[in-house]
Amino acid sequence: MLIKRWLGSLANRAVALVVVAIILTALLVTVAGFLLSRSELEQQARNQVETIATLIAGELDDKLALRLEALNHVAQNLTMSSDVLDARARVLIRRQTALGHLFDAVYLMDEKGLVIAEHPEDYHQAGLNVSDREYFRRISSTLTPVISEPYISNYQDKPAIMVAAPIFDHRQRFIGVIGGAIALDGNNFLDQFINIRIGTSGYLGVATRSGFVVVNQRGDEAMTPVRVANPVLRDAMEGFEGTLETRSSDGERTIMSVQQLTQVPWFVSASWPAREALAPITRTVDAFVWILLLVILLIAPVALWRFRRLMAPLKTLGIQIRERHLGMRSDPVDVAGGKEIRQVAEIFNTVTDERDEVLVSLAEREAFFRSLTQSAPIGIVQTDVLGRIEFANPAFEAIVGKPAEDLTYSYLADRVDNADRQEAIAGWKNAIRSQSVFRGRLRLAAPDRVIWADVMTAAIQTPEKALGTITVVRDISHELEVEEALKTEQQRAETILRVLQEGVLMVDVEGVIRFANDAACRLLGIEGECVLRNFFQLVTIETEERELTAQEFLSGDDLDSLYVTLRNSLGVPFPIDLTMLHIRQGREDERLVFVLRDDSDRRRQEERLSWEATHDSLTQLLNRRAFNASLVRCLGEAGRQEVRSVLMLIDLDYFKPVNDEGGHLLGDDLLKRLADLFKDSVRQSDTVARLGGDEFGIILPACGIKRAQALAERIRADVEALRIEHDGRSFGVTTSIGLTELTPQDSGPREVMARADEGSYIAKSRGRNTVVVVPSPPAG
């Protein structure tokens, strides 16, 4: 209340305006400077955090690469037989003094995963079997150096990583592994990384993409799960690399940079709290606020004194205006002062003179209003404050069927049907009391019928009192009849749509569902009514190439029988034949109609036919047609492969006697077992096919002829050992196998198949049950 009284003075308001202007100007300058400085400072902080993360990631890559290269170099110098390796293991491992400076422990393992020597021997790991370790399985299968994922070591259950390289004998046969262990909580290069700081409270961390901490300055132990609640860390586990602003686990704004390592699937995260990075700009803003308060304290008293001097003539002007209004003064008001005050006095004198002229013209205006409403096409009624009709135009007379002499001085409420009369009276009273407009749909009583009308009533009043009301009436009886007919037709159409098997729905330009039948709701994954839900938020619609967006449906053309995949709110996919139509396209009330036909049966039939066209019905292997297509693709990649791919053709020996003596069912059973044997013998990336009655083919991408020959010998032996007992007799077959490499010089699959086929013929000529390698022709 005290503030309100103080602001009642114009001088005080002017002072307040000056102070507010100063504050707003200062605030604008402060905000602009703060945003510009903050943006620049934030960018500098981002660059600093990103630089540190990049340097740390590069240094870790270099150190891991150095250790991997050193181990691989030592492994290449250990070329000897497995017996010599076992006998001299302890001597060999003690000689690797250079590795002792790079690793916490160095181990020698044989080809079965048994630790045969270690240095130093304090860890007592000799004799342990590590064949179940991830790094040993990887190195024994890929025969390449590896850096393992973090694991819990056998020594005191401490976390560690293993850098390992395979050892081969003089014939390049795998005979063992040399590995270097790095303790994640040991005194090594990872421990040195912990001492690097970002500011005073920033921190670094290293984690694996599989979601485990390697090292962390915040005190998280190695091998603990990464805090996936942080979206940046969650994205980093999927390969993200960059710098973003996020929030830490305690909700603090943080600038975080993530850099991926190239040697291992790890990433480095550097975090710097924004409060520390942006601290300089905060101190500048605090200083500016204190300076602003000091300026206001100095300027406000001076401005108050000056404004009161300038506003003094207004008090005299107010006295003269009051005297003129009460009739105590007949002369025009006249005061000294500023230009604006004198202008107010002149305006008051002018308004006073014009007021008399306005009162004279009111009668003329009323007559004009009455003549204007006479020709209006809608009913217009004027009443006094009691609701008695003072004027009604001919249109209103026609609506209620009464002449003007019967309507004048009667109550307007009497023309309203009894069912709506109380509502109308309450609405009219409220319009007069609150100076608002009453709108309603009422029934009017006519001599022979009930008339529906849209009614709008507004008060006629001056600032001192209410004079009456003006009411506008529009007959809508025919419109309601049309609406009822349209509603009946709409209900009939909805009933038909609801029993359709196809999903039918209509959405507006915002994607809100305005109509949907039961089939559409089921496809959307919603139990019950799905109207007023957002269609584009409930589903995703995808073609074979990409996902279709809501904007594409709105701005695109109509769609007819587009085959798509609809994934509903429950995540269930449906193959759909989609039709989409625009209604009133480009207008504000535009609608989209979607027809969704479940296409699951047709697509399953197509998939079945496609599978049958490429597979052998008996053995479930690929047929010759699909095999030739795979061979063509493999030939196209031959020029880009470091290790050549190999084609293997297998021809069964003595299969006809099995069919003749044991019967075709026994022959079919043998072919199925052989197909399972071939599939179990090769890699998942290899291609196995039945090319004819007793002929099979295998494509071995990037295998190399030596490994392929060893695989062929194993298959030959397994087939020879396979026997089927039937009616007291034992049946079996052997194989004649031809091998050849795929080269960039091969003109096509026929040339390669001919070479491999030649190998199988040679094997048969040598007495069958043999593997023959046919070399590829020399380049050129």
Side-chain angles (χ1 to χ4, degrees), residues 419-459:
D420 297 334
R421 186 170 297 167
Q422 294 302 320
E423 177 188 352
I425 293 173
W428 290 335
K429 287 182 178 179
N430 181 67
I432 296 174
R433 182 172 56 253
S434 61
Q435 301 181 14
S436 60
V437 177
F438 166 74
R439 292 180 176 86
R441 179 172 288 185
L442 306 174
R443 283 167 286 190
L444 303 181
D448 55 350
R449 61 193 179 102
V450 175
I451 299 171
W452 278 97
D454 266 341
V455 178
M456 183 173 67
T457 299

Side-chain angles (χ1 to χ4, degrees), residues 269 286 390 536 549 641 655 732:
S269 63
D286 292 342
E390 294 181 340
F536 298 115
T549 64
Q641 293 176 335
F655 179 69

Side-chain angles (χ1 to χ4, degrees), residues 375-413:
S375 58
I378 58 175
I380 299 176
V381 183
Q382 180 185 342
T383 70
D384 59 17
V385 291
L386 298 178
R388 292 175 298 190
I389 299 175
E390 294 181 340
F391 169 78
N393 71 342
F396 183 75
E397 296 174 12
I399 291 174
V400 298
K402 293 285 185 178
E405 54 269 18
D406 293 344
L407 296 175
T408 304
Y409 300 117
S410 66
Y411 287 95
L412 178 59

Side-chain angles (χ1 to χ4, degrees), residues 240-261:
F240 168 74
E241 187 174 61
T243 305
L244 295 174
E245 183 175 299
T246 184
R247 291 191 178 274
S248 61
S249 58
D250 53 3
E252 184 178 23
R253 287 178 54 249
T254 303
I255 299 173
M256 178 174 288
S257 179
V258 173
Q259 299 295 325
Q260 302 287 342
L261 273 66

